[in-house]
Amino acid sequence: MSYDPPPPSYPYRPPDSSPSYDTYPWQPQQPPEPAGRRPQRHAALGHHSDLRVLRSAYRWQRRVATLTALGYFVLFLILSAFAPSFMTSTVTDGLPTGLLLALVQVPVTWLAIALYEQTARRRVDPLADRIRKQAELDARREETR
């Protein structure tokens, strides 16, 4: 006794040799992709690799400036708390070391600002300009399509 499987309840579908089998003849076919379209030479901003590089450069810039200003201030606070004899010693006639270190805080803050601007000009701004130009080019390409 042999067992024959029942016939399928759906009609037989031929392989994808005939694309018109799936649609009715009176329905319009989807237009094919134009063959003359060139692939993009560089990735669009959707990949975010340029933005990741920009973000890391900006993060490095903030860390340098912050550690410069806050590092000196924390050093001043630690010396004030744990080395009072050093802070009360005099550098010149009547000028204590603590007051001199406190006055040096202003030029150190200016130095932090200068470092921030220099790293912005050298590392962050060129990356941002490149991303901005690339976004403008991508937008123009999309307008012409």
Side-chain angles (χ1 to χ4, degrees):
M1 180 175 201
S2 72
Y3 175 75
D4 291 327
S9 61
Y10 53 88
Y12 174 73
R13 228 177 138 173
D16 289 336
S17 61
S18 172
S20 64
Y21 183 82
D22 293 334
T23 61
Y24 294 106
W26 57 85
Q27 287 181 335
Q29 297 271 337
Q30 294 291 334
E33 283 289 319
R37 182 183 262 180
R38 293 186 319 188
Q40 289 184 348
R41 289 176 45 190
H42 27 73
L45 280 177
H47 292 122
H48 303 292
S49 63
D50 290 338
L51 294 176
R52 224 173 290 133
V53 171
L54 178 66
R55 209 172 22 248
S56 66
Y58 183 60
R59 190 178 306 126
W60 185 85
Q61 174 195 19
R62 286 183 310 200
R63 284 180 186 157
V64 167
T66 303
L67 290 177
T68 302
L70 287 180
Y72 182 81
F73 185 68
V74 167
L75 176 69
F76 176 75
L77 289 178
I78 289 172
L79 287 174
S80 297
F82 297 109
S85 61
F86 173 72
M87 296 297 273
T88 56
S89 65
T90 58
V91 177
T92 61
D93 190 29
L95 181 64
T97 307
L99 181 60
L100 180 66
L101 290 176
L103 292 174
V104 170
Q105 181 67 40
V106 173
V108 168
T109 304
W110 290 340
L111 176 70
I113 293 169
L115 279 172
Y116 189 86
E117 289 178 356
Q118 180 187 8
T119 56
R121 271 188 249 113
R122 195 176 73 224
R123 294 183 181 214
V124 178
D125 290 347
L127 289 171
D129 289 340
R130 189 179 78 208
I131 291 171
R132 189 178 302 115
K133 287 176 186 174
Q134 186 63 42
E136 288 172 0
L137 286 174
D138 289 344
R140 286 186 198 140
R141 282 190 199 124
E142 289 297 321
E143 286 176 0
T144 59
R145 288 186 182 175

